[in-house]
Amino acid sequence: MKIIFLGTTGVQHALIAAHIYLGQLRERDFASLESYCNLSKESSALPIFIGKDERGNQVFSLGVGKDLEMGQKTIDNLVSILGFSSQDLILRPVSIKGEILLVYLTKIPRFLGGQWINHFFSNIILGQELSTIKENIEQFRN
Amino acid sequence: MKIIYHCFGGSHSSVLAAALHLDLIDKKKIPGISEMMSIPYFDKTTKADFGSIRLMGVDEYHNEIYVLGKKNLGSRYGKILMGIAEILGVKEDLLTVDCMSRVNWSMKIGGFTSRRMGWSRLGRPVLGKGTEAAFLDLVNLVEITRIKAMKRVQVV
């Protein structure tokens, strides 16, 4: 089975959620996570493989843009059209305050210091919303 | 194979492209607004349809043809769908087609006025003119898609 943590971006809150689910996050040390704020991975729009859980399920993070609900609906439709079900792929939306701002942060060009600005503000927003992400994962586990 | 034509609202260019693919309209004759209105889903969708993948029909090679409205998420949306198909191991069964490159300003303004503002009497004539101007570009897009689909089938 595949588990996809779905966010407005795939390299910030959804990525952190996936790492928390896999027990790979040291307290607030986001920068050590592979692919964190990685703009080239984000622009590829592909699911980012994070690892496997204890049951062997493959865990991914994915960013679908500003409209998370619409993204979830489309992927649900697609999975069904392709002949799969929730037994094959589970989508877990991860929604936090400031999630739209995170999308805009990934759009700032590198030559304007986009990478630095992205890291700086993402660390602040995600640090404040970490408890919300952890609660989401707890609910998902239960 | 599943072929998904997508555009902003899933109401005009993607629906017209899907209709052309399915031979629901004649590709050699530019349709008038009344003929366009007879196409299923054309200028009939609502906000609730955003993000829904809707079946338009099955072509002569048994490809299922769908339409999708993805707001202003651009070509990124197609990549997301292909990525999902890839991790499910069925990438070769899916083809996504972004119709936005074939959409002109008249279609955008007419479509917005008709669907978002709800002023269809005002929007439809503008939309009709725009769609007529974009028609041959959409025919071209569908022909390219058909060739891509045939190549995929041959590869598989």
Side-chain angles (χ1 to χ4, degrees), chain B residues 90-126:
Chain B
V90 289
K91 193 180 176 187
E92 294 301 320
D93 291 345
L94 181 69
L95 190 58
T96 64
V97 185
D98 189 359
C99 298
M100 288 307 291
S101 61
R102 269 46 175 199
V103 174
N104 55 41
W105 277 103
S106 298
M107 286 182 83
K108 286 178 186 172
I109 293 167
F112 180 82
T113 313
S114 177
R115 301 321 312 147
R116 295 295 286 275
M117 308 289 284
W119 299 337
S120 49
R121 275 193 180 186
L122 186 67
R124 275 181 191 163
V126 180

Side-chain angles (χ1 to χ4, degrees), chain A residues 24-94:
Chain A
Q24 294 174 347
L25 180 70
R26 291 192 298 275
E27 195 66 24
R28 289 176 189 262
D29 186 13
F30 307 141
S32 68
L33 301 176
E34 195 181 337
S35 305
Y36 176 68
C37 286
N38 184 323
L39 299 183
S40 57
K41 286 236 171 137
E42 181 60 20
S43 62
S44 78
L46 296 172
I48 300 166
F49 179 68
I50 308 296
K52 284 186 179 177
D53 69 9
E54 66 276 9
R55 292 176 191 158
N57 299 317
Q58 292 180 319
V59 178
F60 298 84
S61 72
L62 176 64
V64 291
K66 286 176 278 184
D67 197 331
L68 185 58
E69 201 177 322
M70 184 180 80
Q72 188 183 359
K73 184 161 105 178
T74 304
I75 295 171
D76 273 336
N77 279 192
L78 180 69
V79 169
S80 166
I81 285 166
L82 292 173
F84 294 89
S85 70
S86 56
Q87 302 290 316
D88 307 298
L89 188 147
I90 293 176
L91 290 176
R92 180 65 180 181
V94 182

